[in-house]
Amino acid sequence: MKAGTAIAEILRREGIEILFGYPVNHLFEYAAEADIRPIVVRQERVGLHMADALARVTSGRKLGVFAMQHGPGAENAFGGVAQCFAESVPVLVLPMGYPRRIAHVPPNFNSVTSMRSVTKSAEPVILAAEIPNILRRAFSRLRNGRGGPVLVEIPNDIWAEDVPEPLDYQPVSSTRYGPDPVDVGKAAGMLAEAKRPVIYAGQGVHYAKAWAELRQLAELLAIPVVTSLGGKSAFPEDHPLALGSGGVAFPKTVFEFLRNADVILGIGCSFTETSFAVAIPKKKTIIHATLDPDHLNKDVPAAIGLIGDAKLTLKALLAELGTRKRDASKVSAEIASIREGWLAEWMPKLTSNETPMTPYRVIWDLLHTVDVRNTIITHDAGSPRDQLSPFWRTTEPLTYIGWGKSTQLGYGLGLAMGAKLVHPDKLCINVWGDAAIGFTGMDFETAVRERIPILSVLFNNFSMAIELKVMPISTRKYRATDISGDYAAMARAFGGYGERVSDPDEIVPAIKRGIEQTRNGTPALLEFITGKETAISKFV
């Protein structure tokens, strides 16, 4: 059996159905022969984003796989791999490599050495006979422990070499582990005695599928729940105990309850300090439940550490707490009151009739037009993230793909396409701006060509608006922050549906027309002409 055939067969046995990437990488032909669908993108980073979403919306039960050319293809892919690493997403990265005799000769790009800093592991294939062992290690790392990309570099001179038959490979297993019972007892007692506890839920809840247990714990002890951006939709945001999600922008409920908390339980989160997550207040008692022990005390001092799978951890806490129950009426009323007052302050923007329109009006109308339960939505970096995340109320798990530890522009398009491939029955939306589309907009053609009917919502204010305050001289003298384009026309040129909207009264009709196009199998891009909105919901 040739090396390429062996790799494709191992992917098939591991349940891989799609190979994302950009040629030339000979694995595409071997994969197609094994009935694995190749999806070719217009630039490498977007293919990684699609593989990323596939893993996220399946809680890692399916794995994204990405392949690319050696040299420039691998160089171009670096940012996408780094994004997976920052977001702890399990993706198998399979770059071709230079022939082994010159693999380490500069200036040849060696993916193994160059990407070690942004992968869980990076290993080259040196001998074709070792392919089963190398891929077994790779898949084991992908399916166990904290998520992250794993790289296997395939030298360009190895494809024709033989792998012993019969192919000795069995799919790897996934394992779970739970926290020390002694620490569980301490944590349960601390939560039961706390006066104003808060749960901070991260994306580990999604990967563990621990949504029911999270809700049970919150309801048992009447604990309000805030999620990270990555954890958003882990707890239904129409629940009386929901505070919303914390990013650069966040609802006032998040701010008030975190600052007044005495005990904060972080579950399935890293507590990573970043400009794109709500800050955890100082001098709070922290119970940190995380899959990765390296996260303990990394950024936030923890009184108790619970190491293990979020579902097992929550089940252990529930068992320890037993039947004790706290009345939720008072705290639920407080949450409702704060949320009502905060929304009242924002309602003028959310319902504004001004022109150019505010993006908040578009978001509000979008929220009240789509079937939220059957919609998967993601933001892009910058203003779309900060405008969307506080106001979009999720009700079902894995219906919001949030991110923020690394904030590359253009990430959302590939995420929406990857989600749509997994859930063709759902409306999949990416919300982005005129800066982000400049990075990855060409891949709207990929959505058309590969028949991936997403709804792309674009805010166009012809400006890099959030940069205005930090580039006043550059803007005044050279118009350095001005950008432009007719992106609806671009979508039509690619064979999709494109519509430019400038009248606030046309927002809802345009959304309905866009949704209808996606139901007919056509990707749709709605370009909303907006003002230079810079206000966000943020508290200090």
Side-chain angles (χ1 to χ4, degrees):
M1 181 181 292
K2 298 303 180 185
T5 303
I7 295 171
E9 173 60 19
I10 290 170
L11 296 182
R12 190 191 64 78
R13 292 184 188 182
E14 288 285 0
I16 305 305
E17 298 172 348
I18 298 174
L19 177 63
F20 301 97
Y22 195 88
V24 171
N25 185 310
H26 300 305
L27 185 57
F28 284 110
E29 282 296 283
Y30 292 105
E33 191 173 10
D35 297 325
I36 296 172
R37 175 185 175 183
I39 290 185
V40 175
V41 293
R42 300 300 292 264
Q43 68 153 296
E44 288 82 0
R45 186 157 68 96
V46 173
L48 278 153
H49 298 163
M50 294 173 75
D52 173 329
L54 187 150
R56 286 193 198 223
V57 300
T58 62
S59 296
R61 299 327 189 251
K62 292 186 178 181
L63 298 172
V65 182
F66 179 83
M68 66 285 207
Q69 183 183 15
H70 65 295
E75 294 162 18
N76 286 343
F78 193 101
V81 179
Q83 189 86 56
C84 290
F85 184 73
E87 298 296 317
S88 300
V89 181
V91 170
L92 179 61
V93 185
L94 298 172
M96 275 212 315
Y98 283 93
R100 284 163 286 183
R101 65 183 183 82
I102 56 171
H104 293 274
V105 178
N108 295 334
F109 186 88
N110 186 288
S111 295
V112 170
T113 57
S114 298
M115 296 195 190
R116 276 208 171 102
S117 63
V118 291
T119 54
K120 284 185 75 174
S121 69
E123 185 173 358
V125 177
I126 302 298
L127 300 171
E130 283 298 302
I131 285 172
N133 293 328
I134 293 169
L135 286 176
R136 186 183 67 250
R137 287 191 287 271
F139 275 103
S140 186
R141 289 165 184 146
L142 288 165
R143 296 196 186 280
N144 293 282
R146 178 167 62 90
V150 170
L151 183 144
V152 174
E153 188 175 40
I154 309 167
N156 197 21
D157 59 347
I158 209 165
W159 299 104
E161 293 188 6
D162 291 320
V163 175
E165 294 188 70
L167 182 65
D168 184 15
Y169 189 88
Q170 297 296 324
V172 304
S173 59
S174 299
T175 60
R176 297 189 299 162
Y177 46 90
D180 187 327
V182 174
D183 292 324
V184 170
K186 292 177 182 177
M190 193 174 288
L191 287 171
E193 294 169 10
K195 302 300 182 184
R196 292 187 64 90
V198 170
I199 295 173
Y200 181 88
Q203 69 171 346
V205 176
H206 286 315
Y207 283 105
K209 294 189 174 184
W211 312 298
E213 290 78 9
L214 173 61
R215 182 168 180 163
Q216 288 170 29
L217 179 61
E219 291 176 345
L220 184 70
L221 296 182
I223 306 179
V225 179
V226 59
T227 67
S228 66
L229 276 180
K232 190 175 173 74
S233 79
F235 192 79
E237 292 182 327
D238 58 352
H239 192 285
L241 292 171
L243 300 175
S245 64
V248 175
F250 42 88
K252 193 173 184 179
T253 44
V254 170
F255 171 72
E256 292 291 349
F257 275 84
L258 281 179
R259 79 186 182 107
N260 291 314
D262 55 351
V263 175
I264 299 174
L265 167 64
I267 178 74
C269 69
S270 65
F271 279 133
T272 295
E273 183 177 343
T274 167
S275 300
F276 307 102
V278 64
I280 301 301
K282 307 292 185 184
K283 298 181 180 179
K284 304 294 181 182
T285 299
I286 303 294
I287 302 169
H288 193 177
T290 176
L291 194 62
D292 189 345
D294 285 346
H295 284 159
L296 278 186
N297 300 302
K298 178 172 70 74
D299 298 291
V300 176
I304 298 175
L306 303 175
I307 303 301
D309 173 83
K311 192 181 189 81
L312 293 178
T313 299
L314 288 167
K315 281 188 170 184
L317 285 169
L318 288 165
E320 186 71 29
L321 288 164
T323 58
R324 68 182 87 183
K325 189 172 177 63
R326 188 179 291 155
D327 179 37
S329 57
K330 185 177 179 181
V331 68
S332 296
E334 184 182 358
I335 293 169
S337 176
I338 294 171
R339 185 175 190 278
E340 183 179 333
W342 166 71
L343 268 182
E345 294 174 8
W346 279 91
M347 204 55 68
K349 285 187 180 292
L350 293 167
T351 59
S352 171
N353 284 316
E354 67 186 66
T355 55
M357 69 184 77
T358 171
Y360 288 107
R361 169 67 187 273
V362 180
I363 290 166
W364 192 249
D365 283 357
L366 185 68
L367 176 65
H368 292 89
T369 303
V370 306
D371 177 4
V372 174
R373 296 173 64 88
N374 290 301
T375 296
I376 298 175
I377 193 167
T378 188
H379 55 75
D380 217 289
S383 296
R385 172 197 59 226
D386 305 336
Q387 292 159 354
L388 178 69
S389 62
F391 298 101
W392 192 269
R393 298 185 78 186
T394 61
T395 59
E396 296 295 320
L398 299 172
T399 56
Y400 191 103
I401 306 177
W403 47 276
K405 293 188 181 68
S406 180
T407 59
Q408 298 169 12
L409 282 163
Y411 190 16
L413 175 64
L415 291 177
M417 289 195 288
K420 186 67 175 179
L421 286 166
V422 177
H423 294 291
D425 56 321
K426 294 185 183 294
L427 175 65
C428 295
I429 306 173
N430 73 300
V431 179
W432 52 350
D434 48 354
I437 199 171
F439 279 72
T440 60
M442 280 295 294
D443 268 288
F444 189 82
E445 185 274 338
T446 300
V448 175
R449 171 171 37 86
E450 292 289 350
R451 304 169 300 284
I452 309 172
I454 61 166
L455 178 63
S456 193
V457 173
L458 177 74
F459 299 149
N460 186 359
N461 58 16
F462 303 98
S463 173
M464 302 170 69
I466 61 175
E467 279 77 20
L468 290 174
K469 64 183 178 182
V470 295
M471 296 178 65
I473 298 172
S474 302
T475 300
R476 187 179 70 251
K477 291 179 66 176
Y478 303 107
R479 308 309 309 168
T481 57
D482 291 357
I483 48 181
S484 65
D486 187 340
Y487 304 111
M490 181 198 79
R492 293 192 297 271
F494 287 149
Y497 178 81
E499 181 176 349
R500 176 176 275 195
V501 184
S502 56
D503 182 353
D505 291 336
E506 280 299 308
I507 294 173
V508 171
I511 292 169
K512 290 180 178 178
R513 288 190 290 269
I515 292 172
E516 186 61 27
Q517 290 291 327
T518 67
R519 287 173 177 161
N520 294 334
T522 301
L525 188 149
L526 303 178
E527 179 185 10
F528 295 96
I529 306 305
T530 65
K532 296 176 175 60
E533 181 68 76
T534 57
I536 62 171
S537 178
K538 189 172 183 178
F539 305 87
V540 293

